């Protein structure tokens, strides 16, 4: 009696062509996992360094005025550290500019719109990727601008941190999407879509998105009153 089913090489051939646990394209997917946020840190650091040198300020002077270490400031300027919004606001104050001047973007050189219009696809963006906050500059970029308009995106859990901070100027905003917790001095408010706010930036403040699964979007205005 014959038993033809004793050897079936077809199934083995199929299995031998696969590596267990791997799927096509997995290697290329792994390469694309890490985003390029550090490039933003480099651009912001370069802008801070250029502003400092233009104002002929040493790292020692900046460190003394901000209570930040020289080593930390050097890391920021070289793009090796991602500063928080609180740190950027402090540096902007010492450099005598609004925070919009730290976006690493310069006004358009074409002169066509005389820096009046900012096109939707040309908005400079500052991603504070470690804290879940990004700010798009809606007004034309420029270190001398006193009034700046931003579109602020807060990822779920995004926050300026537990520590309150202050800086020059005034600010106001309108919550377009989601929810934002805003603390000014010792009072905290929960703001939802349609709610707005205004306060002097010298008052200690912080803000965050308390949601676990929804982004918050805020139209934010900063007016620099003492810089320049």
């Amino acid at each position: 009696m014959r038993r033809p089913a004793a050897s079936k090489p077809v199934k083995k051939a199929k299995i031998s062509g696969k590596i267990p646990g791997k799927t096509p394209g997995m290697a290329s997917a792994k390469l694309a996992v890490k985003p390029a946020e550090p490039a933003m840190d480099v651009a912001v650091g370069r802008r801070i360094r250029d502003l400092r040198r233009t104002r002929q300020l040493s790292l020692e002077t900046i460190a003394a005025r901000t209570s930040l270490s020289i080593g930390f400031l050097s890391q920021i300027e070289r793009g090796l550290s991602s500063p928080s919004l609180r740190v950027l606001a402090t540096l902007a104050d010492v450099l005598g500019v609004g925070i919009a001047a730290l976006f690493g973007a310069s006004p358009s050189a074409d002169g066509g719109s005389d820096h009046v219009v900012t096109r939707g696809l040309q908005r400079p963006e500052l991603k504070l990727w470690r804290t879940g906050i990004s700010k798009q500059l809606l007004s034309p970029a420029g270190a001398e601008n006193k009034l700046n308009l931003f579109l602020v995106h807060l990822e779920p859990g995004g926050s300026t941190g537990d520590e309150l901070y202050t800086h020059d100027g005034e600010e106001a905003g309108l919550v377009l999407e989601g929810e934002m917790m805003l603390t000014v001095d010792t009072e905290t408010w929960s703001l939802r879509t349609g709610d707005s706010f205004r306060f002097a930036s010298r008052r200690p403040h912080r803000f965050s998105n308390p949601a676990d699964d929804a982004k918050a979007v805020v139209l934010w205005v900063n007016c620099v009153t003492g810089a320049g």
Side-chain angles (χ1 to χ4, degrees):
M1 245 184 217
R2 289 172 124 194
R3 298 188 179 181
S7 61
K8 288 191 177 181
V10 179
K11 214 164 189 178
K12 272 193 178 178
K14 276 188 177 180
I15 295 173
S16 62
K18 270 188 169 182
I19 300 174
K22 298 279 186 182
T23 56
M26 182 177 283
S28 59
K30 279 188 176 179
L31 294 176
V33 166
K34 185 169 177 58
E37 284 97 342
M40 177 67 67
D41 296 340
V42 172
V44 171
R46 186 179 296 123
R47 183 66 174 144
I48 292 171
R49 182 197 62 201
D50 291 347
L51 285 167
R52 176 178 64 79
R53 289 178 176 174
T54 298
R55 284 152 176 74
Q56 298 182 332
L57 297 171
S58 66
L59 280 174
E60 289 80 4
T61 300
I62 299 293
R65 294 182 183 178
T66 60
S67 299
L68 299 171
S69 72
I70 294 174
F72 180 48
L73 291 170
S74 177
Q75 285 188 330
I76 291 174
E77 289 194 355
R78 289 180 291 153
L80 301 178
S81 182
S82 181
S84 66
L85 188 57
R86 180 181 65 83
V87 169
L88 288 179
T90 301
L91 289 172
D93 258 12
V94 171
L95 294 169
V97 296
I99 199 168
L102 306 185
F103 272 46
S106 299
S108 170
D110 59 19
S113 64
D114 195 25
H115 317 314
V116 172
V117 172
T118 300
R119 301 294 181 186
L121 296 177
Q122 297 174 339
R123 298 172 184 167
E125 186 172 21
L126 180 62
K127 286 187 177 181
L128 304 168
W129 56 282
R130 291 189 188 278
T131 58
I133 299 174
S134 67
K135 301 181 71 162
Q136 291 183 345
L137 181 60
L138 305 183
S139 49
E144 305 308 316
N145 292 349
K146 303 295 185 186
L147 181 67
N148 291 290
L149 181 64
F150 302 94
L151 197 61
V152 177
H153 294 258
L154 294 167
E155 296 299 327
S159 170
T160 57
D162 295 332
E163 191 174 346
L164 299 173
Y165 68 101
T166 65
H167 54 95
D168 177 68
E170 291 184 65
E171 51 199 287
L174 170 67
V175 180
L176 301 178
E177 296 178 27
E179 180 183 4
M180 182 182 79
M181 300 298 294
L182 174 66
T183 298
V184 179
D185 294 325
T186 58
E187 193 167 357
T188 299
W189 297 266
S190 174
L191 304 177
R192 299 180 182 274
T193 303
D195 293 338
S196 54
F197 58 89
R198 174 197 165 277
F199 59 92
S201 305
R202 284 297 177 196
R203 299 174 67 183
H205 58 278
R206 65 179 294 272
F207 59 90
S208 64
N209 176 5
D212 295 325
D213 56 359
K215 184 168 71 171
V217 181
V218 184
L219 182 65
W220 208 298
V221 180
N222 281 100
C223 181
V224 183
T225 57

